[in-house]
Amino acid sequence: MNMPFYVAPEQVMKDRADYARKGIARGRSLIAFRFVDGIAICAENKSSTLRKVSEIYDRIAFAGVGKYNEFDQLRIAGVRHADLKGYAFSRGDVDARSLANQYAQILGQIFTHEMKPMEVEILVAEIGADDGDGDQLFHILYDGTVVDEDTSVVLGGETETISDRFGELDGAPELADGLRRAITALSGPDRSLTPAELEIAVLQRGTGRRAFRRLDDPEVAGLVSD
Amino acid sequence: MSLPLFRPHDDPGPSFAELLRRSGFENQISPESTSWDGTPPIGKVPVSDFRHGTTCVAVRYSEGVLLAGDRRATSGNLISHRSIEKVFAADRHSGVAIAGAAGPAAEMVRLFQLQLEHYEKVEGEALSLDGKANQLGQMVRSNLPAAMQGLVVVPIFAGYDVKLNEGRLFEYDVTGGRYEETEHATTGSGSFHAGTVLKLGYHASMDAGSVADLALTALFEAADEDSATGGPDPVRGIYPIVATITAEGYERLEDDELAERTDALIERRRAQAESP
């Protein structure tokens, strides 16, 4: 009779976490931060078609790092969840917190029960009312851990280095100031990132029902230059 | 409500209707799917018990398309709503105007709006204008069994084609047939009279102001001849809904402007009536 080798649960979990972390660290990072008119998400992404940052609902955005097909699957599930919920109840009933919890459930489930954990870290961002109250940044890790971030968050590999470079925000900055800081933090001291190598989108207050907007390369160049 | 995850072989793709079907909303959306044994259940309830929306018009002009609709809903010979809305933005660059049974019409518009937005978010790119027009045609066709029982919904779809840089206009019939119009389109009980006014007043190089006046006149004349079409109501400040769709997107005209144009229209009619 074949007896399986005993492996301690601690070891199993550690191996899975290491595996997921390694996968995530292979990709490029992104920074999300609150600015005066909403939330900006700035990702290093050379592709202009395979997106890391997307719209989920009127005031909710999604961002993912790690393995593209895995976080894109989660993104689509999020869009479906939000649209179904808005259809069944009302648009005002769709919120980031419940979506973040759903993501956490799925990621936690896959982490413990499947062969392979998802090699992703995702962000669910929502802007609140017009006075800036109720802006939310939910950072969800590969094992289902949810962190409710306050002003800014870094996703991906080398998060600590990038967070240190970005620093703590003292109040909400203007969009251009925040972006300059985020781009410097992402690029580090040895290189510089051009707008073509970045994917930037904002959830901006006062832009109508759908608050999500992508910034194109010329707009980013204009914002960052002066 | 749990996160809707699907295996690759039964993924609904970018279709919101398909997603609804796979998420157990089936009976709410498709009259086809409800078990119908051939006896029209609605036939037992007089059609006058349902609210009906009436006349809508659409006109192409140099910068895009204009959509307009009156504000009356009727239940049989009663006026059931004085300020119903029948002209809606479908997305940034298109709009839809609906005549027929008000309940199914409103639901069709809501599903259509959701479908366009859902597709855009899932695919990362908006549908082409032809794609949107076809989608609406499919929705009208799926309403055919209900239409046979008296719940007819007939929309007009208008949009600005950002690839061709021009406004385009589509009419439908109850079977979901889609017909592109080059000048103007009408739907609803007053469409006969409104259509004649548009036909006589239309010319190729109209600007936004003159098409707005033409559409208001068409609805005014339709209301004059058809009891189910509501005329302008200056006493309550209720005017037709008029919206333009241009390269800048869907924009609804303000009530102030409509009041001004309607007053001028009434003044013209009064002068005609008084002239010897």
Side-chain angles (χ1 to χ4, degrees):
Chain A
M1 202 174 77
N2 264 346
M3 281 286 282
F5 287 109
Y6 174 77
V7 187
E10 290 88 345
Q11 189 59 44
V12 177
M13 292 305 156
K14 188 180 169 299
D15 287 352
R16 286 191 180 160
D18 285 347
Y19 177 83
R21 266 200 292 266
K22 240 182 246 167
I24 293 163
R26 269 195 291 271
R28 302 293 185 182
S29 307
L30 67 81
I31 300 183
F33 60 92
R34 287 176 60 184
F35 70 104
V36 279
D37 295 324
I39 293 170
I41 304 172
C42 177
E44 182 179 352
N45 185 2
K46 286 193 176 65
S47 169
S48 61
T49 44
L50 304 177
R51 310 277 198 197
K52 288 183 172 177
V53 188
S54 328
E55 175 185 17
I56 293 271
Y57 211 61
D58 297 350
R59 305 174 82 78
I60 305 175
F62 173 97
V65 294
K67 219 169 168 206
Y68 175 78
N69 69 320
E70 293 184 344
F71 69 72
D72 199 56
Q73 188 191 348
L74 292 173
R75 171 186 74 86
I76 292 174
V79 170
R80 287 176 176 156
H81 170 82
D83 278 348
L84 276 176
K85 199 171 173 190
Y87 172 77
F89 306 114
S90 91
R91 297 199 82 90
D93 294 317
V94 181
D95 64 327
R97 189 188 48 81
S98 104
L99 182 63
N101 283 331
Q102 295 285 348
Y103 279 138
Q105 293 289 333
I106 291 290
L107 285 169
Q109 174 84 10
I110 290 173
F111 183 79
T112 40
H113 294 283
E114 300 284 323
M115 268 290 290
K116 177 192 109 50
M118 277 191 158
E119 298 155 68
V120 295
E121 255 179 64
I122 57 175
L123 172 82
V124 179
E126 180 179 35
I127 53 164
D130 288 344
D131 53 3
D133 252 14
D135 284 4
Q136 287 170 326
L137 292 165
F138 293 105
H139 178 187
I140 303 137
L141 276 69
Y142 52 85
D143 61 352
T145 309
V146 192
V147 189
D148 179 4
E149 308 278 358
D150 192 26
T151 54
S152 67
V153 56
V154 180
L155 274 73
E158 302 174 57
T159 44
E160 274 179 28
T161 329
I162 297 172
S163 305
D164 286 347
R165 283 200 291 255
F166 188 71
E168 276 297 310
L169 282 177
D170 183 25
E174 291 290 332
L175 179 59
D177 296 337
L179 278 183
R180 271 194 290 269
R181 216 162 134 171
I183 294 168
T184 318
L186 281 175
S187 60
D190 304 328
R191 56 177 194 150
S192 62
L193 290 166
T194 63
E197 296 165 301
L198 293 162
E199 180 186 349
I200 300 173
V202 291
L203 284 169
Q204 196 160 8
R205 272 183 279 279
T207 50
R209 177 169 68 80
R210 288 168 78 177
F212 183 86
R213 189 167 70 86
R214 293 185 188 284
L215 309 189
D216 57 18
D217 294 350
E219 191 174 358
V220 173
L223 275 171
V224 177
S225 64
D226 35 64
Chain B
M1 207 172 240
S2 64
L3 207 59
L5 286 166
F6 299 92
R7 281 187 297 268
H9 63 269
D10 63 7
D11 192 278
S15 163
F16 187 68
E18 201 58 40
L19 172 65
L20 283 174
R21 231 162 266 143
R22 277 163 214 213
S23 312
F25 285 85
E26 192 166 18
N27 292 337
Q28 288 181 27
I29 56 148
S30 166
E32 278 172 322
S33 63
T34 54
S35 58
W36 184 41
D37 59 0
T39 51
I42 290 162
K44 293 169 189 156
V45 184
V47 171
S48 60
D49 283 4
F50 302 108
R51 293 188 176 199
H52 279 76
T54 44
T55 315
C56 294
V57 302
V59 192
R60 273 183 80 200
Y61 66 106
S62 52
E63 292 154 52
V65 203
L66 177 134
L67 275 173
D70 77 314
R71 305 291 293 269
R72 180 171 291 178
T74 55
S75 303
N77 61 344
L78 295 178
I79 293 169
S80 48
H81 208 295
R82 286 179 211 286
S83 57
I84 197 170
E85 304 200 352
K86 307 171 205 173
V87 176
F88 304 91
D91 65 359
R92 193 169 134 69
H93 281 112
S94 66
V96 55
I98 287 235
E107 183 64 10
M108 188 183 287
V109 169
R110 192 165 159 236
L111 275 173
F112 183 54
Q113 291 167 326
L114 270 169
Q115 169 62 51
L116 299 189
E117 190 184 318
H118 187 73
Y119 181 97
E120 188 187 327
K121 288 191 292 195
V122 171
E123 293 287 300
E125 201 170 338
L127 262 172
S128 66
L129 195 72
D130 277 306
K132 293 175 197 171
N134 279 337
Q135 278 282 316
L136 187 59
Q138 285 163 20
M139 296 177 90
V140 177
R141 185 165 61 239
S142 74
N143 188 54
L144 187 60
M148 293 305 209
Q149 299 166 37
L151 296 179
V152 176
V153 177
V154 184
I156 303 175
F157 177 64
Y160 190 83
D161 194 323
V162 287
K163 289 193 185 104
L164 301 177
N165 285 320
E166 61 176 13
R168 293 173 70 190
L169 201 52
F170 300 88
E171 267 188 337
Y172 297 86
D173 62 23
V174 280
T175 64
R178 185 198 100 166
Y179 313 97
E180 181 159 8
E181 293 291 330
T182 51
E183 296 178 350
H184 47 77
T186 54
T187 180
S189 62
S191 59
F192 187 67
H193 295 98
T196 308
V197 174
L198 292 182
K199 190 176 166 187
L200 292 175
Y202 179 83
H203 56 88
S205 54
M206 295 183 93
D207 63 4
S210 56
V211 279
D213 282 336
L214 180 62
L216 287 172
T217 313
L219 291 173
F220 186 87
E221 298 301 343
D224 208 26
E225 299 293 334
D226 170 36
S227 61
T229 304
D233 188 346
V235 177
R236 296 187 181 84
I238 300 169
Y239 299 96
I241 292 178
V242 183
T244 57
I245 305 157
T246 60
E248 272 77 60
Y250 180 98
E251 195 181 354
R252 200 170 140 172
L253 266 61
E254 298 290 332
D255 268 356
D256 293 345
E257 183 183 347
L258 291 170
E260 233 169 75
R261 291 186 185 279
T262 303
D263 289 346
L265 167 64
I266 292 170
E267 206 44 56
R268 281 199 299 277
R269 285 290 173 278
R270 185 176 291 145
Q272 277 170 4
E274 284 167 0
S275 65

